[in-house]
């Protein structure tokens, strides 16, 4: 399989660049439109390792949260920031590893850039995948390889499992997350046992880090018993989590970052205004 050190390609209205990180896994950055003057976004992952960062920050919370659902309800995960789909592929693989049927897992993923949503779905639903840029197709395959190697799964079976999740509505991709989203009567949200907050930094995505939206996310997306995790450690985020009954666990950040955010809430400490599904 051909490897990419850096590869530029066009994805709908996005000019993209696939970047190889230090552990051999891949990250992505993009800019809207084809103008040479348009700024690049920050890379979606640490240059020290996209896959290593995913394992360090998000894998423990996903694994721990699998014990939270009652036997009669599915394991529910909300992911803010689809990107290349590391978290979505990883939590799907955990569902497969532990023998969950498609009705025993629900993944609700937000992504503001529609071409990234479409490409993810194309990879898992189109057997030919001819419409995908080779670099992006390679990146998805590489992520599946890494996840399957870590969990000792068959890549063919994992891809089939994710296709089944998408087809039956157990893995849903949605657009930009904002305060208006929570006010829509058709919002169709569920409270999750694990919330993965993998948004761009406050400098790149200031709206996602506004206190009003953070409060809505924690109130609407977090189940009474929940694990909330983010690569970032922001005072405003931690204050919102504490105000909603979460306990913060001191967790080291990835590749030299001082901390990431790992918060825990049990049903016994959940504020009374937070309602169960």
């Amino acid at each position: 399989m051909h490897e990419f050190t850096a590869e530029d390609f066009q994805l709908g209205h996005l000019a993209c660049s696939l970047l190889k990180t230090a552990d051999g896994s891949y990250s992505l950055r993009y800019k809207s439109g084809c103008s040479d003057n348009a700024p690049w976004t920050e890379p979606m992952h640490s240059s020290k390792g996209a896959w290593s960062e995913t394992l360090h920050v998000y894998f423990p919370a996903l694994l721990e949260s699998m014990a939270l659902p009652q036997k009669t309800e599915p394991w529910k995960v909300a992911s803010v920031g689809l990107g290349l789909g590391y978290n979505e592929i990883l939590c799907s693989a955990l569902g497969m590893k532990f023998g969950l049927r498609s009705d025993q897992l629900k993944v609700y993923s937000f992504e503001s850039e529609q071409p990234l949503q479409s490409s993810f779905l194309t990879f898992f639903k189109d057997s030919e995948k001819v419409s995908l840029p080779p670099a992006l197709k390679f990146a998805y395959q590489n992520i599946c390889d890494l996840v399957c190697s870590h969990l000792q799964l068959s890549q063919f079976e994992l891809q089939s499992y994710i296709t089944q999740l998408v087809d039956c509505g157990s893995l849903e991709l949605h657009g930009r997350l904002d305060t208006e989203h929570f006010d829509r009567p058709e919002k169709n949200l569920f409270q999750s046992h694990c919330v993965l907050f993998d948004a761009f930094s406050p400098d790149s995505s200031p709206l996602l880090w506004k206190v009003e939206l953070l409060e809505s996310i924690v109130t609407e997306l977090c189940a009474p018993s929940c694990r909330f995790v983010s690569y970032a450690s922001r005072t405003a985020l931690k204050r919102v989590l504490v105000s909603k009954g979460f306990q913060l666990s001191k967790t080291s950040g990835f590749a030299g970052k001082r901390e990431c955010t790992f918060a825990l809430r049990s049903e016994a400490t959940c504020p009374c205004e937070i309602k169960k599904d």
Side-chain angles (χ1 to χ4, degrees):
M1 185 182 294
H2 175 65
E3 289 196 2
F4 297 85
T5 301
E7 179 84 3
D8 294 342
F9 59 92
Q10 194 69 29
L11 188 65
H13 68 277
L14 300 178
C16 298
S17 183
L18 188 71
L19 307 171
K20 189 174 185 179
T21 65
D23 68 355
S25 62
Y26 290 82
S27 187
L28 189 74
R29 63 177 181 172
Y30 60 82
K31 54 184 177 180
S32 296
C34 303
S35 170
D36 292 337
N37 297 323
W40 289 102
T41 62
E42 62 195 40
M44 293 178 175
H45 308 89
S46 168
S47 63
K48 299 299 176 66
W51 171 234
S52 298
E53 182 179 29
T54 301
L55 280 181
H56 179 87
V57 177
Y58 299 106
F59 181 69
L62 284 167
L63 195 59
E64 186 176 319
S65 71
M66 293 189 78
L68 297 178
Q70 300 296 317
K71 291 183 179 179
T72 56
E73 66 173 326
W75 176 43
K76 302 170 188 173
V77 179
S79 175
V80 181
L82 169 69
L84 284 174
Y86 276 91
N87 288 332
E88 288 74 9
I89 294 170
L90 179 57
C91 68
S92 298
L94 279 169
M96 178 181 166
K97 178 73 174 180
F98 287 93
L100 299 184
R101 302 186 310 270
S102 58
D103 63 340
Q104 294 176 311
L105 169 62
K106 290 286 289 183
V107 182
Y108 198 93
S109 178
F110 294 94
E111 173 55 59
S112 61
E113 293 295 349
Q114 194 276 333
L116 291 175
Q117 295 182 51
S118 297
S119 296
F120 183 88
L121 295 176
T122 295
F123 181 80
F124 288 103
K125 296 193 69 172
D126 183 352
S127 60
E128 299 298 327
K129 305 176 180 60
V130 292
S131 63
L132 284 180
L136 190 58
K137 178 181 176 181
F138 172 84
Y140 291 138
Q141 290 174 331
N142 180 253
I143 296 168
C144 289
D145 281 342
L146 291 167
V147 171
C148 288
S149 177
H150 187 73
L151 294 177
Q152 297 182 313
L153 299 172
S154 156
Q155 182 173 159
F156 175 79
E157 290 178 359
L158 175 60
Q159 292 190 35
S160 298
Y161 182 78
I162 294 176
T163 299
Q164 182 182 8
L165 293 178
V166 172
D167 286 343
C168 73
S170 290
L171 197 168
E172 300 181 14
L173 303 186
H174 296 267
R176 183 185 303 276
L177 184 61
D178 52 34
T179 51
E180 293 181 0
H181 186 98
F182 296 111
D183 295 330
R184 298 170 192 154
E186 72 281 6
K187 60 188 177 183
N188 192 31
L189 294 174
F190 52 76
Q191 293 186 325
S192 301
H193 303 104
C194 190
V195 176
L196 313 173
F197 194 74
D198 198 29
F200 278 133
S201 71
D203 290 337
S204 297
S205 299
L207 294 179
L208 276 173
W209 292 90
K210 285 186 173 295
V211 171
E212 181 184 6
L213 182 55
L214 293 175
E215 288 179 341
S216 294
I217 288 172
V218 176
T219 299
E220 299 282 354
L221 293 185
C222 294
S225 292
C226 181
R227 304 297 179 256
F228 188 106
V229 62
S230 176
Y231 71 92
S233 180
R234 303 285 298 182
T235 300
L237 173 60
K238 291 189 287 188
R239 283 176 177 167
V240 169
L241 289 165
V242 170
S243 74
K244 300 297 183 180
F246 280 85
Q247 293 182 333
L248 299 175
S249 176
K250 192 171 179 64
T251 306
S252 62
F254 175 70
K257 286 187 177 180
R258 189 169 61 87
E259 282 185 74
C260 59
T261 298
F262 191 94
L264 315 147
R265 186 173 70 188
S266 66
E267 191 165 353
T269 61
C270 183
C272 59
E273 71 269 17
I274 308 295
K275 298 180 180 179
K276 298 169 68 175
D277 286 350

